[in-house]
């Protein structure tokens, strides 16, 4: 019975990754609260700890669980072999464990954690690229932007690593902004643009200008924020209006 349960748990990508995301959310929120009670002292600022733990251990786990299952389906290619997504899972899960321990013990463990998570991200992007190149479909707009979003996530994680080493607040702020807007938001919207109309049974033509426009607006906002220019919010307002109009078109 235990063997069958184990085989079922690992039989599809979303199952172990979703569980990892939920467990990570509970553990990191608990650690975050305990740090405020002075039970633990974090080796990085609570702001950066909160951002990194949500962007990578939590949301990246969920993203990988969903996309390692659906990206091949989107592209009309065979499902991934178990060895591929389990390799990613082991890298990510090990990175999450080291980040959890390193958060209250040593920056060196945080760097090791970020490196393992970076390896999981990079390997996944490579797998997505192989699927993208091997797809029989002529139209792969959404897949391309999912990969761009994941690429931004790799940049964000690398900048976090530099920030952990240098303790440079500008680098850490840049890493956080790229992670939130160019990684999480762009990736989520790339998936939503494909999935929401489908599940709503609304037949619409994909707006191919939407994601490049949002990416450009978010990038401008990030530049203005990093240089401490107080008008970055204008680009977010414009992006919000554009997104709202697009959602209305999805009915």
């Amino acid at each position: 019975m235990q063997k069958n349960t184990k085989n079922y748990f690992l039989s599809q990508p979303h199952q172990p990754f979703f569980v990892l995301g939920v467990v990570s959310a509970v553990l990191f929120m608990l650690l975050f609260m305990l740090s405020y009670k002075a039970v633990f002292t974090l080796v990085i600022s609570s702001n950066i700890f909160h951002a990194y733990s949500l962007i990578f251990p939590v949301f990246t786990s969920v993203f990988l669980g969903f996309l390692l299952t659906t990206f091949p389906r989107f592209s009309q290619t065979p499902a991934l072999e178990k060895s591929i997504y389990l390799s990613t899972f082991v890298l990510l899960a090990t990175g999450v464990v080291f980040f959890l321990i390193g958060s209250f013990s040593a920056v060196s463990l945080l760097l090791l954690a970020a490196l393992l998570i970076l390896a999981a991200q990079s390997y996944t992007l490579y797998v997505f690229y192989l699927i993208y190149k091997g797809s029989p479909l002529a139209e792969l707009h959404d897949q391309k932007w999912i990969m761009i979003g994941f690429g931004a996530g790799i940049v964000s994680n690398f900048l976090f690593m530099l920030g952990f080493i240098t303790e440079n607040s500008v680098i850490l702020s840049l890493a956080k902004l790229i992670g939130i807007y160019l990684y999480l938001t762009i990736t989520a919207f790339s998936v939503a643009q494909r999935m929401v109309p489908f599940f709503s049974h609304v037949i619409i033509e994909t707006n191919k200008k939407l994601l490049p426009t949002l990416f450009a607006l978010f990038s401008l906002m990030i530049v203005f924020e990093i240089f401490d220019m107080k008008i970055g919010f204008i680009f977010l307002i414009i992006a919000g209006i554009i997104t709202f109009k697009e959602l209305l078109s999805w009915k």
Side-chain angles (χ1 to χ4, degrees):
M1 179 64 70
Q2 290 180 349
K3 183 178 179 180
N4 291 336
T5 302
K6 179 182 178 181
N7 289 340
Y8 176 76
F9 178 69
L10 300 175
S11 63
Q12 297 182 69
H14 68 275
Q15 290 162 177
F17 282 99
F18 282 0
V19 169
L20 178 61
V22 172
V23 171
S24 295
V26 172
L27 290 177
F28 284 110
M29 283 191 290
L30 179 61
L31 185 59
F32 188 69
M33 290 186 290
L34 289 175
S35 71
Y36 269 101
K37 293 291 185 178
V39 177
F40 297 111
T41 300
L42 297 173
V43 299
I44 52 176
S45 72
S46 58
N47 180 283
I48 297 302
F49 170 81
H50 184 59
Y52 192 93
S53 62
L54 284 178
I55 293 171
F56 296 105
V58 178
F59 284 114
T60 296
S61 297
V62 175
F63 279 5
L64 288 175
F66 182 79
L67 289 172
L68 288 171
T69 302
T70 58
F71 198 90
R73 296 178 186 176
F74 288 167
S75 308
Q76 293 187 9
T77 60
L80 293 175
E81 295 181 7
K82 183 184 291 188
S83 60
I84 293 176
Y85 63 78
L86 285 186
S87 297
T88 303
F89 177 75
V90 169
L91 286 170
L92 182 63
T94 306
V96 169
V97 171
F98 277 114
F99 188 79
L100 182 67
I101 298 171
S103 297
F104 55 87
S105 59
V107 173
S108 59
L109 290 180
L110 295 185
L111 290 172
L112 177 58
L115 185 62
L116 288 166
I117 294 172
L118 187 70
Q121 292 175 280
S122 301
Y123 181 59
T124 301
L125 184 59
Y126 174 68
V127 171
F128 286 167
Y129 175 75
L130 293 179
I131 294 171
Y132 178 85
K133 295 296 290 185
S135 174
L137 298 177
E139 177 53 61
L140 294 165
H141 175 80
D142 297 324
Q143 289 90 329
K144 180 183 73 174
W145 277 96
I146 289 171
M147 291 192 297
I148 290 173
F150 258 78
I154 290 172
V155 172
S156 171
N157 198 2
F158 180 75
L159 289 173
F160 268 114
M161 291 177 65
L162 288 181
F164 293 155
I165 295 170
T166 63
E167 298 183 355
N168 186 298
S169 60
V170 175
I171 293 176
L172 288 169
S173 294
L174 180 60
K176 181 172 68 172
L177 290 171
I178 290 175
I180 292 171
Y181 290 100
L182 301 186
Y183 170 41
L184 296 185
T185 306
I186 291 294
T187 303
F189 215 89
S190 301
V191 175
Q193 184 173 237
R194 184 180 186 91
M195 298 298 292
V196 174
F198 174 79
F199 284 114
S200 301
H201 305 290
V202 176
I203 300 175
I204 60 171
E205 185 176 351
T206 299
N207 181 357
K208 294 182 180 179
K209 295 181 180 179
L210 177 65
L211 291 171
T213 301
L214 291 180
F215 194 91
L217 288 169
F218 291 149
S219 297
L220 286 170
M221 183 278 296
I222 290 170
V223 170
F224 278 82
E225 286 292 320
I226 289 300
F227 286 99
D228 201 25
M229 303 172 71
K230 306 300 182 182
I231 61 172
F233 70 94
I234 294 175
F235 300 106
L236 283 183
I237 292 174
I238 296 171
I241 293 171
I242 292 172
T243 302
F244 180 69
K245 290 177 65 177
E246 183 67 21
L247 290 175
L248 287 178
S249 74
W250 295 356
K251 302 178 182 180

